[in-house]
Amino acid sequence: MADQKDEVVKNNTDNIPDENPWKTLSTQPVYNNAWIKVEEHQVINPGGTPGIYGKVSFKNQAVGIIPIDDAGNTWLVGQYRYTLNEWSWEIPMGGSPNKEDKIKTAQRELEEETGLIAGNIIELLHLHPSNSVTNEQGYVYLATDLSAGMQQLEDTEKDIQVKKLAFDDALKMAQNGEITDALSVAGIFYIALNRQKYIK
Amino acid sequence: MADQKDEVVKNNTDNIPDENPWKTLSTQPVYNNAWIKVEEHQVINPGGTPGIYGKVSFKNQAVGIIPIDDAGNTWLVGQYRYTLNEWSWEIPMGGSPNKEDKIKTAQRELEEETGLIAGNIIELLHLHPSNSVTNEQGYVYLATDLSAGMQQLEDTEKDIQVKKLAFDDALKMAQNGEITDALSVAGIFYIALNRQKYIK
């Protein structure tokens, strides 16, 4: 079945063309605020046909942090997401301006949202949340060696709730659809797959 | 440490406010194409402060499909992503118009991109890829009972490459950063966490 599939590259770097086949002919700015910039590009697509591409560029990188304490607990943050008009339980998360050190962002956002200070931060995943339309970069960190700091919510986060729970309960929520944020789900699954390394 | 965290809800549905604290005062359209609509909303945030929200609405739902054959192989699709200007290995994926049946989209996109016909399709995950700015909905499906069909690439996909590989090799790629697409990574991790259920 589908024999030609057996012939394609075995090695991940083999055979990837050096050149991006998309060509940009011109760029028209259409919207700009503190968080995003939207442009319409006139393009030639990989099939050689002219068309448009609406590209949303992010001014911040999404930084998610999964705190794990010595008893195997983690913390989730719940809030209404304006874009969805829905309540969303997620890992602590924030925006890192593109030039800021992401570890600093991770430490600050964790403390602001949960009141936890992380003695140790490790990058787990670099993700592209929505690459059909945006250039958003997402990073997931593990935070350990936790101690008590000071929660300080931003004005847009005044409704957030913080929940401490066993990591395995958070994993259940990610598996059964109670957590839907893609960065949160991918990060929680990653730790679950490597639990002997990250959970005491 | 952080004692107040111990007092928050134990049950996931407890204590979630009925009402979204964000208020929308007005909505200004700023951009519209076949795939997205961008609006600027005048809002009152949960802290009670007026501000703006740039919201990107998607006209299609992202549907990703992970095919698994009886020998434990899967298929990845590689292409240059215009938004990133980078090559990206991903699970087969496509856009499902908001009123279309997503299972149909999943079957069609899988066959168009890989030439595989799925005898069986199961929904694994419903995700929100990027809920700080967009209302995008993402779905990941498992496709099994595979047989040979006809690959038919769209004009925007003429550069794509299809790679058949052991599921465990795809899992390695998702764990080591060779796959960065969030829906792909979350879906591959989900199957890995439930491998006894999904892989023969």
Side-chain angles (χ1 to χ4, degrees):
Chain A
M1 126 196 150
D3 283 326
Q4 80 279 12
K5 303 310 172 308
D6 292 311
E7 298 164 24
V8 298
V9 282
K10 301 286 183 288
N11 182 304
N12 304 323
T13 52
D14 276 358
N15 219 17
I16 295 175
D18 291 334
E19 207 179 335
N20 186 343
W22 289 88
K23 304 291 171 223
T24 306
L25 302 177
S26 66
T27 298
Q28 178 78 23
V30 293
Y31 181 64
N32 193 40
N33 68 20
W35 303 277
I36 57 169
K37 178 179 79 171
V38 183
E39 295 167 341
E40 182 170 282
H41 293 198
Q42 300 291 324
V43 299
I44 305 287
N45 72 30
T49 309
I52 63 156
Y53 213 115
K55 178 180 167 184
V56 178
S57 295
F58 277 60
K59 299 184 180 181
N60 298 286
Q61 300 166 96
V63 169
I65 312 100
I66 304 183
I68 306 264
D69 73 10
D70 291 346
N73 294 303
T74 190
W75 282 255
L76 296 177
V77 170
Q79 66 183 300
Y80 271 94
R81 282 292 186 178
Y82 183 74
T83 52
L84 305 173
N85 191 28
E86 276 177 27
W87 183 266
S88 181
W89 284 111
E90 302 175 9
I91 62 175
M93 202 167 321
S96 181
N98 283 333
K99 302 212 165 149
E100 185 173 67
D101 177 62
K102 294 187 295 294
I103 301 271
K104 271 197 188 151
T105 307
Q107 287 170 317
R108 183 183 63 234
E109 291 289 336
L110 180 67
E111 186 175 4
E112 281 179 4
E113 294 191 356
T114 67
L116 294 169
I117 292 174
N120 190 35
I121 295 256
I122 299 168
E123 184 180 317
L124 301 180
L125 292 171
H126 172 209
L127 298 171
H128 293 111
S130 181
N131 65 18
S132 71
V133 165
T134 83
N135 68 356
E136 187 179 10
Q137 309 285 322
Y139 295 85
V140 182
Y141 291 89
L142 171 71
T144 54
D145 292 343
L146 304 175
S147 59
M150 176 74 81
Q151 190 190 42
Q152 266 191 302
L153 298 176
E154 291 172 41
D155 214 34
T156 51
E157 300 171 331
K158 288 295 188 210
D159 66 325
I160 82 167
Q161 289 179 21
V162 179
K163 180 194 334 228
K164 179 180 178 181
L165 71 176
F167 174 81
D168 283 332
D169 289 333
L171 175 59
K172 271 182 214 150
M173 290 175 69
Q175 297 220 59
N176 71 16
E178 289 177 83
I179 300 173
T180 59
D181 171 68
L183 239 59
S184 301
V185 170
I188 289 168
F189 286 174
Y190 182 87
I191 290 178
L193 283 168
N194 298 281
R195 69 167 58 236
Q196 73 295 346
K197 207 166 151 188
Y198 299 127
I199 303 180
K200 283 186 186 167
Chain B
M1 126 196 151
D3 284 327
Q4 79 279 12
K5 301 313 171 308
D6 291 313
E7 297 165 23
V8 297
V9 282
K10 299 288 183 287
N11 181 305
N12 303 324
T13 52
D14 276 358
N15 219 16
I16 295 175
D18 291 333
E19 207 179 336
N20 185 343
W22 289 88
K23 304 290 171 223
T24 306
L25 302 177
S26 66
T27 298
Q28 178 77 24
V30 294
Y31 181 64
N32 194 40
N33 68 20
W35 304 276
I36 57 168
K37 178 179 77 171
V38 183
E39 295 168 340
E40 182 170 281
H41 293 198
Q42 300 290 325
V43 298
I44 305 288
N45 72 30
T49 310
I52 63 155
Y53 212 114
K55 178 180 167 184
V56 179
S57 296
F58 277 59
K59 299 184 180 182
N60 299 286
Q61 300 167 96
V63 169
I65 312 100
I66 304 181
I68 307 263
D69 72 10
D70 292 346
N73 295 303
T74 190
W75 283 255
L76 296 177
V77 170
Q79 65 183 300
Y80 271 94
R81 282 292 186 178
Y82 184 75
T83 52
L84 304 173
N85 192 26
E86 274 177 28
W87 183 266
S88 180
W89 284 112
E90 302 175 10
I91 63 174
M93 201 167 323
S96 181
N98 283 334
K99 301 210 165 150
E100 185 173 68
D101 176 62
K102 295 187 296 293
I103 300 271
K104 271 195 188 152
T105 307
Q107 288 170 318
R108 184 184 64 234
E109 291 290 336
L110 180 66
E111 185 175 5
E112 281 179 5
E113 294 190 356
T114 66
L116 294 169
I117 292 175
N120 189 36
I121 295 256
I122 299 166
E123 184 180 318
L124 300 180
L125 292 171
H126 172 209
L127 297 171
H128 294 111
S130 181
N131 65 19
S132 71
V133 165
T134 82
N135 68 355
E136 187 179 10
Q137 310 284 322
Y139 295 85
V140 182
Y141 292 90
L142 171 71
T144 54
D145 292 344
L146 304 174
S147 58
M150 176 75 81
Q151 189 190 42
Q152 266 191 303
L153 297 176
E154 291 172 41
D155 214 36
T156 52
E157 301 171 330
K158 289 294 189 210
D159 66 324
I160 81 168
Q161 289 180 20
V162 179
K163 179 192 339 224
K164 179 180 178 181
L165 71 175
F167 174 81
D168 283 332
D169 290 333
L171 174 60
K172 270 181 215 150
M173 290 174 70
Q175 296 220 61
N176 71 16
E178 288 178 83
I179 300 173
T180 59
D181 171 68
L183 239 60
S184 300
V185 170
I188 289 168
F189 287 174
Y190 182 87
I191 291 179
L193 284 168
N194 298 280
R195 68 167 57 236
Q196 74 296 345
K197 208 166 152 189
Y198 299 126
I199 303 180
K200 284 184 187 170

